[in-house]
Structure formats: structure tokens, C-alpha cells
């Protein structure tokens, strides 16, 4: 599950009746399938994991 930063809006359809919508500017921890699909569509890129604060 990589961290991913969206540079464009992206809709992911895991099944026929479900749409997961992501907005440009979101930085989220995503399932690998979603991250690969979004990257292939040119909607963003994988980024380094955010460091936790002590």
C-alpha cells in the first residue's frame, strides 16, 4: 500500500456499481491496485511515506 499524491481528479471503479472518487491534491495511503491504475491514467504519482511526529 503506497502513499500516492493526486495531481488530477481520478475515479476508480472496483466493480460495476461502485466508484471511488479522488480529488487533485489528495495525499493518501492507497491499495496498490488503485495506485497503479491512477498512475497509468496520469492522475498522480507515488510519494515517500510521511514521517510520523514523535
Amino acid at each position: 500500500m503506497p502513499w500516492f499524491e493526486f495531481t488530477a481528479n481520478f475515479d476508480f471503479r472496483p466493480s460495476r456499481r461502485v466508484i471511488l472518487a479522488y480529488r487533485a491534491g489528495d495525499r493518501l495511503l492507497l491499495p496498490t491496485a488503485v495506485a497503479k491504475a491512477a498512475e497509468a491514467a496520469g492522475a498522480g504519482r507515488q510519494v515517500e511515506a510521511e514521517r510520523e511526529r514523535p
Side-chain angles (χ1 to χ4, degrees):
M1 289 185 56
W3 282 94
F4 196 86
E5 184 172 9
F6 288 92
T7 56
N9 291 340
F10 178 71
D11 292 338
F12 180 71
R13 290 179 170 259
S15 67
R16 195 176 83 193
R17 295 183 183 190
V18 177
I19 299 173
L20 301 174
Y22 299 96
R23 293 184 180 182
D26 286 350
R27 187 178 201 153
L28 305 166
L29 186 62
L30 298 176
T32 304
V34 178
K36 285 183 179 181
E39 197 164 22
R45 60 185 174 86
Q46 290 187 23
V47 294
E48 294 291 321
E50 295 183 6
R51 295 186 180 182
E52 294 183 22
R53 295 180 188 174

